[in-house]
PDB file of all heavy atoms in Angstrom:
ATOM      1  N   ARG Z  30      10.106  38.467 -30.202  1.00 57.00           N
ATOM      2  CA  ARG Z  30      11.294  37.636 -30.431  1.00 57.00           C
ATOM      3  C   ARG Z  30      10.920  36.365 -31.188  1.00 57.00           C
ATOM      4  O   ARG Z  30      11.679  35.405 -31.203  1.00 57.00           O
ATOM      5  CB  ARG Z  30      11.922  37.266 -29.087  1.00 57.00           C
ATOM      6  CG  ARG Z  30      12.510  38.450 -28.336  1.00 57.00           C
ATOM      7  CD  ARG Z  30      12.873  38.070 -26.909  1.00 57.00           C
ATOM      8  NE  ARG Z  30      13.639  36.852 -26.847  1.00 57.00           N
ATOM      9  CZ  ARG Z  30      13.743  36.086 -25.755  1.00 57.00           C
ATOM     10  NH1 ARG Z  30      13.103  36.435 -24.654  1.00 57.00           N
ATOM     11  NH2 ARG Z  30      14.460  34.989 -25.769  1.00 57.00           N
ATOM     12  N   PHE Z  31       9.756  36.377 -31.840  1.00 55.00           N
ATOM     13  CA  PHE Z  31       9.247  35.160 -32.469  1.00 55.00           C
ATOM     14  C   PHE Z  31      10.230  34.585 -33.480  1.00 55.00           C
ATOM     15  O   PHE Z  31      10.513  33.389 -33.467  1.00 55.00           O
ATOM     16  CB  PHE Z  31       7.913  35.458 -33.160  1.00 55.00           C
ATOM     17  CG  PHE Z  31       7.359  34.301 -33.944  1.00 55.00           C
ATOM     18  CD1 PHE Z  31       6.725  33.259 -33.299  1.00 55.00           C
ATOM     19  CD2 PHE Z  31       7.503  34.249 -35.324  1.00 55.00           C
ATOM     20  CE1 PHE Z  31       6.210  32.190 -34.016  1.00 55.00           C
ATOM     21  CE2 PHE Z  31       6.998  33.186 -36.053  1.00 55.00           C
ATOM     22  CZ  PHE Z  31       6.344  32.163 -35.391  1.00 55.00           C
ATOM     23  N   ARG Z  32      10.757  35.418 -34.385  1.00 57.00           N
ATOM     24  CA  ARG Z  32      11.627  34.899 -35.430  1.00 57.00           C
ATOM     25  C   ARG Z  32      12.895  34.295 -34.846  1.00 57.00           C
ATOM     26  O   ARG Z  32      13.349  33.232 -35.269  1.00 57.00           O
ATOM     27  CB  ARG Z  32      11.983  35.999 -36.429  1.00 57.00           C
ATOM     28  CG  ARG Z  32      12.851  35.511 -37.582  1.00 57.00           C
ATOM     29  CD  ARG Z  32      13.050  36.596 -38.611  1.00 57.00           C
ATOM     30  NE  ARG Z  32      11.800  36.952 -39.251  1.00 57.00           N
ATOM     31  CZ  ARG Z  32      11.282  36.273 -40.268  1.00 57.00           C
ATOM     32  NH1 ARG Z  32      11.896  35.194 -40.728  1.00 57.00           N
ATOM     33  NH2 ARG Z  32      10.155  36.659 -40.822  1.00 57.00           N
ATOM     34  N   GLU Z  33      13.467  34.971 -33.852  1.00 60.00           N
ATOM     35  CA  GLU Z  33      14.678  34.457 -33.219  1.00 60.00           C
ATOM     36  C   GLU Z  33      14.447  33.074 -32.632  1.00 60.00           C
ATOM     37  O   GLU Z  33      15.267  32.166 -32.795  1.00 60.00           O
ATOM     38  CB  GLU Z  33      15.124  35.426 -32.124  1.00 60.00           C
ATOM     39  CG  GLU Z  33      16.298  34.939 -31.279  1.00 60.00           C
ATOM     40  CD  GLU Z  33      16.556  35.852 -30.091  1.00 60.00           C
ATOM     41  OE1 GLU Z  33      16.102  37.007 -30.118  1.00 60.00           O
ATOM     42  OE2 GLU Z  33      17.215  35.388 -29.144  1.00 60.00           O
ATOM     43  N   GLN Z  34      13.325  32.891 -31.951  1.00 61.00           N
ATOM     44  CA  GLN Z  34      13.038  31.603 -31.330  1.00 61.00           C
ATOM     45  C   GLN Z  34      12.684  30.549 -32.371  1.00 61.00           C
ATOM     46  O   GLN Z  34      13.028  29.377 -32.233  1.00 61.00           O
ATOM     47  CB  GLN Z  34      11.908  31.779 -30.315  1.00 61.00           C
ATOM     48  CG  GLN Z  34      12.346  32.563 -29.104  1.00 61.00           C
ATOM     49  CD  GLN Z  34      11.206  33.321 -28.464  1.00 61.00           C
ATOM     50  OE1 GLN Z  34      10.152  33.492 -29.053  1.00 61.00           O
ATOM     51  NE2 GLN Z  34      11.420  33.800 -27.242  1.00 61.00           N
ATOM     52  N   GLN Z  35      11.978  30.974 -33.445  1.00 62.00           N
ATOM     53  CA  GLN Z  35      11.636  30.043 -34.505  1.00 62.00           C
ATOM     54  C   GLN Z  35      12.897  29.478 -35.157  1.00 62.00           C
ATOM     55  O   GLN Z  35      12.970  28.286 -35.484  1.00 62.00           O
ATOM     56  CB  GLN Z  35      10.768  30.750 -35.548  1.00 62.00           C
ATOM     57  CG  GLN Z  35      10.214  29.849 -36.642  1.00 62.00           C
ATOM     58  CD  GLN Z  35       9.430  30.637 -37.660  1.00 62.00           C
ATOM     59  OE1 GLN Z  35       9.910  31.653 -38.156  1.00 62.00           O
ATOM     60  NE2 GLN Z  35       8.231  30.200 -37.971  1.00 62.00           N
ATOM     61  N   GLU Z  36      13.897  30.339 -35.334  1.00 64.00           N
ATOM     62  CA  GLU Z  36      15.125  29.913 -35.985  1.00 64.00           C
ATOM     63  C   GLU Z  36      15.902  28.899 -35.146  1.00 64.00           C
ATOM     64  O   GLU Z  36      16.746  28.182 -35.674  1.00 64.00           O
ATOM     65  CB  GLU Z  36      16.016  31.127 -36.286  1.00 64.00           C
ATOM     66  CG  GLU Z  36      15.429  32.098 -37.296  1.00 64.00           C
ATOM     67  CD  GLU Z  36      15.332  31.512 -38.691  1.00 64.00           C
ATOM     68  OE1 GLU Z  36      16.031  30.531 -38.962  1.00 64.00           O
ATOM     69  OE2 GLU Z  36      14.536  32.046 -39.492  1.00 64.00           O
ATOM     70  N   LEU Z  37      15.629  28.842 -33.839  1.00 65.00           N
ATOM     71  CA  LEU Z  37      16.299  27.844 -33.008  1.00 65.00           C
ATOM     72  C   LEU Z  37      15.947  26.431 -33.453  1.00 65.00           C
ATOM     73  O   LEU Z  37      16.719  25.488 -33.247  1.00 65.00           O
ATOM     74  CB  LEU Z  37      15.895  28.030 -31.541  1.00 65.00           C
ATOM     75  CG  LEU Z  37      16.418  29.273 -30.821  1.00 65.00           C
ATOM     76  CD1 LEU Z  37      15.787  29.384 -29.445  1.00 65.00           C
ATOM     77  CD2 LEU Z  37      17.938  29.242 -30.718  1.00 65.00           C
ATOM     78  N   ILE Z  38      14.777  26.259 -34.041  1.00 73.00           N
ATOM     79  CA  ILE Z  38      14.313  24.925 -34.431  1.00 73.00           C
ATOM     80  C   ILE Z  38      14.230  24.803 -35.934  1.00 73.00           C
ATOM     81  O   ILE Z  38      14.930  24.008 -36.551  1.00 73.00           O
ATOM     82  CB  ILE Z  38      12.952  24.619 -33.775  1.00 73.00           C
ATOM     83  CG1 ILE Z  38      13.094  24.597 -32.248  1.00 73.00           C
ATOM     84  CG2 ILE Z  38      12.406  23.284 -34.266  1.00 73.00           C
ATOM     85  CD1 ILE Z  38      11.807  24.348 -31.504  1.00 73.00           C
ATOM     86  N   ALA Z  39      13.353  25.592 -36.567  1.00 75.00           N
ATOM     87  CA  ALA Z  39      13.177  25.493 -38.020  1.00 75.00           C
ATOM     88  C   ALA Z  39      12.582  26.789 -38.534  1.00 75.00           C
ATOM     89  O   ALA Z  39      11.470  27.153 -38.157  1.00 75.00           O
ATOM     90  CB  ALA Z  39      12.275  24.317 -38.376  1.00 75.00           C
ATOM     91  N   GLY Z  40      13.309  27.481 -39.389  1.00 81.00           N
ATOM     92  CA  GLY Z  40      12.809  28.707 -39.970  1.00 81.00           C
ATOM     93  C   GLY Z  40      11.755  28.438 -41.032  1.00 81.00           C
ATOM     94  O   GLY Z  40      11.644  27.320 -41.562  1.00 81.00           O
ATOM     95  N   TYR Z  41      11.011  29.472 -41.381  1.00 88.00           N
ATOM     96  CA  TYR Z  41       9.924  29.328 -42.353  1.00 88.00           C
ATOM     97  C   TYR Z  41      10.411  28.760 -43.676  1.00 88.00           C
ATOM     98  O   TYR Z  41       9.718  27.974 -44.318  1.00 88.00           O
ATOM     99  CB  TYR Z  41       9.263  30.689 -42.566  1.00 88.00           C
ATOM    100  CG  TYR Z  41       8.319  30.718 -43.734  1.00 88.00           C
ATOM    101  CD1 TYR Z  41       7.037  30.199 -43.620  1.00 88.00           C
ATOM    102  CD2 TYR Z  41       8.714  31.245 -44.966  1.00 88.00           C
ATOM    103  CE1 TYR Z  41       6.164  30.202 -44.704  1.00 88.00           C
ATOM    104  CE2 TYR Z  41       7.852  31.253 -46.043  1.00 88.00           C
ATOM    105  CZ  TYR Z  41       6.581  30.731 -45.911  1.00 88.00           C
ATOM    106  OH  TYR Z  41       5.733  30.730 -46.987  1.00 88.00           O
ATOM    107  N   GLU Z  42      11.604  29.160 -44.095  1.00 89.00           N
ATOM    108  CA  GLU Z  42      12.104  28.715 -45.394  1.00 89.00           C
ATOM    109  C   GLU Z  42      12.315  27.208 -45.469  1.00 89.00           C
ATOM    110  O   GLU Z  42      12.393  26.633 -46.561  1.00 89.00           O
ATOM    111  CB  GLU Z  42      13.414  29.433 -45.735  1.00 89.00           C
ATOM    112  CG  GLU Z  42      14.612  29.045 -44.881  1.00 89.00           C
ATOM    113  CD  GLU Z  42      14.623  29.729 -43.503  1.00 89.00           C
ATOM    114  OE1 GLU Z  42      13.734  30.576 -43.254  1.00 89.00           O
ATOM    115  OE2 GLU Z  42      15.511  29.398 -42.688  1.00 89.00           O
ATOM    116  N   VAL Z  43      12.373  26.553 -44.319  1.00 87.00           N
ATOM    117  CA  VAL Z  43      12.583  25.103 -44.301  1.00 87.00           C
ATOM    118  C   VAL Z  43      11.331  24.359 -44.738  1.00 87.00           C
ATOM    119  O   VAL Z  43      11.401  23.350 -45.447  1.00 87.00           O
ATOM    120  CB  VAL Z  43      13.004  24.646 -42.883  1.00 87.00           C
ATOM    121  CG1 VAL Z  43      13.043  23.127 -42.790  1.00 87.00           C
ATOM    122  CG2 VAL Z  43      14.364  25.234 -42.522  1.00 87.00           C
ATOM    123  N   TYR Z  44      10.157  24.844 -44.311  1.00 93.00           N
ATOM    124  CA  TYR Z  44       8.926  24.108 -44.593  1.00 93.00           C
ATOM    125  C   TYR Z  44       7.946  24.861 -45.485  1.00 93.00           C
ATOM    126  O   TYR Z  44       7.147  24.251 -46.199  1.00 93.00           O
ATOM    127  CB  TYR Z  44       8.223  23.730 -43.279  1.00 93.00           C
ATOM    128  CG  TYR Z  44       7.921  24.906 -42.396  1.00 93.00           C
ATOM    129  CD1 TYR Z  44       6.774  25.674 -42.569  1.00 93.00           C
ATOM    130  CD2 TYR Z  44       8.793  25.277 -41.372  1.00 93.00           C
ATOM    131  CE1 TYR Z  44       6.502  26.763 -41.760  1.00 93.00           C
ATOM    132  CE2 TYR Z  44       8.527  26.369 -40.560  1.00 93.00           C
ATOM    133  CZ  TYR Z  44       7.385  27.107 -40.754  1.00 93.00           C
ATOM    134  OH  TYR Z  44       7.115  28.189 -39.959  1.00 93.00           O
ATOM    135  N   GLY Z  45       7.967  26.189 -45.477  1.00 94.00           N
ATOM    136  CA  GLY Z  45       6.976  26.975 -46.194  1.00 94.00           C
ATOM    137  C   GLY Z  45       6.846  26.649 -47.667  1.00 94.00           C
ATOM    138  O   GLY Z  45       5.738  26.347 -48.158  1.00 94.00           O
ATOM    139  N   PRO Z  46       7.945  26.677 -48.444  1.00 95.00           N
ATOM    140  CA  PRO Z  46       7.825  26.379 -49.873  1.00 95.00           C
ATOM    141  C   PRO Z  46       7.319  24.964 -50.152  1.00 95.00           C
ATOM    142  O   PRO Z  46       6.581  24.751 -51.130  1.00 95.00           O
ATOM    143  CB  PRO Z  46       9.266  26.560 -50.381  1.00 95.00           C
ATOM    144  CG  PRO Z  46       9.890  27.509 -49.403  1.00 95.00           C
ATOM    145  CD  PRO Z  46       9.293  27.145 -48.077  1.00 95.00           C
ATOM    146  N   GLN Z  47       7.672  24.010 -49.299  1.00 95.00           N
ATOM    147  CA  GLN Z  47       7.207  22.637 -49.516  1.00 95.00           C
ATOM    148  C   GLN Z  47       5.708  22.512 -49.251  1.00 95.00           C
ATOM    149  O   GLN Z  47       4.998  21.795 -49.961  1.00 95.00           O
ATOM    150  CB  GLN Z  47       7.980  21.673 -48.617  1.00 95.00           C
ATOM    151  CG  GLN Z  47       9.464  21.603 -48.940  1.00 95.00           C
ATOM    152  CD  GLN Z  47      10.170  20.537 -48.130  1.00 95.00           C
ATOM    153  OE1 GLN Z  47      10.078  19.344 -48.405  1.00 95.00           O
ATOM    154  NE2 GLN Z  47      10.891  20.968 -47.101  1.00 95.00           N
ATOM    155  N   VAL Z  48       5.214  23.215 -48.232  1.00 97.00           N
ATOM    156  CA  VAL Z  48       3.774  23.216 -47.976  1.00 97.00           C
ATOM    157  C   VAL Z  48       3.042  23.843 -49.160  1.00 97.00           C
ATOM    158  O   VAL Z  48       2.006  23.346 -49.610  1.00 97.00           O
ATOM    159  CB  VAL Z  48       3.448  23.965 -46.668  1.00 97.00           C
ATOM    160  CG1 VAL Z  48       1.935  24.058 -46.462  1.00 97.00           C
ATOM    161  CG2 VAL Z  48       4.097  23.269 -45.469  1.00 97.00           C
ATOM    162  N   ALA Z  49       3.585  24.925 -49.686  1.00 97.00           N
ATOM    163  CA  ALA Z  49       2.946  25.617 -50.809  1.00 97.00           C
ATOM    164  C   ALA Z  49       2.808  24.701 -52.018  1.00 97.00           C
ATOM    165  O   ALA Z  49       1.818  24.774 -52.760  1.00 97.00           O
ATOM    166  CB  ALA Z  49       3.742  26.868 -51.168  1.00 97.00           C
ATOM    167  N   GLN Z  50       3.772  23.840 -52.229  1.00 97.00           N
ATOM    168  CA  GLN Z  50       3.721  22.935 -53.379  1.00 97.00           C
ATOM    169  C   GLN Z  50       2.575  21.933 -53.275  1.00 97.00           C
ATOM    170  O   GLN Z  50       2.129  21.396 -54.296  1.00 97.00           O
ATOM    171  CB  GLN Z  50       5.046  22.184 -53.516  1.00 97.00           C
ATOM    172  CG  GLN Z  50       6.198  23.075 -53.969  1.00 97.00           C
ATOM    173  CD  GLN Z  50       7.509  22.319 -54.060  1.00 97.00           C
ATOM    174  OE1 GLN Z  50       7.570  21.105 -53.855  1.00 97.00           O
ATOM    175  NE2 GLN Z  50       8.580  23.030 -54.374  1.00 97.00           N
ATOM    176  N   LEU Z  51       2.094  21.680 -52.067  1.00 97.00           N
ATOM    177  CA  LEU Z  51       1.024  20.695 -51.876  1.00 97.00           C
ATOM    178  C   LEU Z  51      -0.367  21.316 -51.935  1.00 97.00           C
ATOM    179  O   LEU Z  51      -1.363  20.589 -51.904  1.00 97.00           O
ATOM    180  CB  LEU Z  51       1.202  19.984 -50.529  1.00 97.00           C
ATOM    181  CG  LEU Z  51       2.474  19.145 -50.359  1.00 97.00           C
ATOM    182  CD1 LEU Z  51       2.520  18.537 -48.956  1.00 97.00           C
ATOM    183  CD2 LEU Z  51       2.564  18.057 -51.404  1.00 97.00           C
ATOM    184  N   LEU Z  52      -0.463  22.640 -52.022  1.00 97.00           N
ATOM    185  CA  LEU Z  52      -1.764  23.292 -52.024  1.00 97.00           C
ATOM    186  C   LEU Z  52      -2.585  22.919 -53.253  1.00 97.00           C
ATOM    187  O   LEU Z  52      -2.090  22.948 -54.381  1.00 97.00           O
ATOM    188  CB  LEU Z  52      -1.593  24.812 -51.987  1.00 97.00           C
ATOM    189  CG  LEU Z  52      -1.283  25.456 -50.632  1.00 97.00           C
ATOM    190  CD1 LEU Z  52      -0.862  26.907 -50.836  1.00 97.00           C
ATOM    191  CD2 LEU Z  52      -2.471  25.354 -49.688  1.00 97.00           C
ATOM    192  N   ASN Z  53      -3.838  22.571 -53.027  1.00 96.00           N
ATOM    193  CA  ASN Z  53      -4.780  22.338 -54.116  1.00 96.00           C
ATOM    194  C   ASN Z  53      -5.520  23.635 -54.429  1.00 96.00           C
ATOM    195  O   ASN Z  53      -5.767  24.439 -53.530  1.00 96.00           O
ATOM    196  CB  ASN Z  53      -5.787  21.256 -53.736  1.00 96.00           C
ATOM    197  CG  ASN Z  53      -5.148  19.885 -53.630  1.00 96.00           C
ATOM    198  OD1 ASN Z  53      -4.114  19.613 -54.233  1.00 96.00           O
ATOM    199  ND2 ASN Z  53      -5.760  19.012 -52.849  1.00 96.00           N
ATOM    200  N   PRO Z  54      -5.894  23.860 -55.678  1.00 90.00           N
ATOM    201  CA  PRO Z  54      -6.640  25.080 -56.006  1.00 90.00           C
ATOM    202  C   PRO Z  54      -8.016  25.090 -55.364  1.00 90.00           C
ATOM    203  O   PRO Z  54      -8.620  24.036 -55.133  1.00 90.00           O
ATOM    204  CB  PRO Z  54      -6.735  25.037 -57.538  1.00 90.00           C
ATOM    205  CG  PRO Z  54      -6.593  23.589 -57.879  1.00 90.00           C
ATOM    206  CD  PRO Z  54      -5.673  23.002 -56.851  1.00 90.00           C
ATOM    207  N   GLY Z  55      -8.532  26.262 -55.047  1.00 95.00           N
ATOM    208  CA  GLY Z  55      -9.851  26.386 -54.440  1.00 95.00           C
ATOM    209  C   GLY Z  55     -10.221  27.843 -54.272  1.00 95.00           C
ATOM    210  O   GLY Z  55      -9.465  28.747 -54.652  1.00 95.00           O
ATOM    211  N   ALA Z  56     -11.377  28.088 -53.681  1.00 97.00           N
ATOM    212  CA  ALA Z  56     -11.865  29.459 -53.517  1.00 97.00           C
ATOM    213  C   ALA Z  56     -11.461  30.060 -52.176  1.00 97.00           C
ATOM    214  O   ALA Z  56     -11.160  31.253 -52.088  1.00 97.00           O
ATOM    215  CB  ALA Z  56     -13.389  29.484 -53.659  1.00 97.00           C
TER     216      ALA Z  56
END
């Protein structure tokens, strides 16, 4: 039931793309 419970607070789409924008290149 992980996704259902996650959506109670903040779904991945809320933070995931913003975190991705901050990634620095590396190995």
Side-chain angles (χ1 to χ4, degrees):
R30 293 169 49 201
F31 175 78
R32 182 174 295 277
E33 174 188 341
Q34 290 152 345
Q35 186 183 49
E36 295 293 340
L37 290 173
I38 297 178
Y41 169 79
E42 69 281 355
V43 172
Y44 56 84
Q47 296 186 77
V48 176
Q50 290 178 4
L51 297 178
L52 281 168
N53 291 336

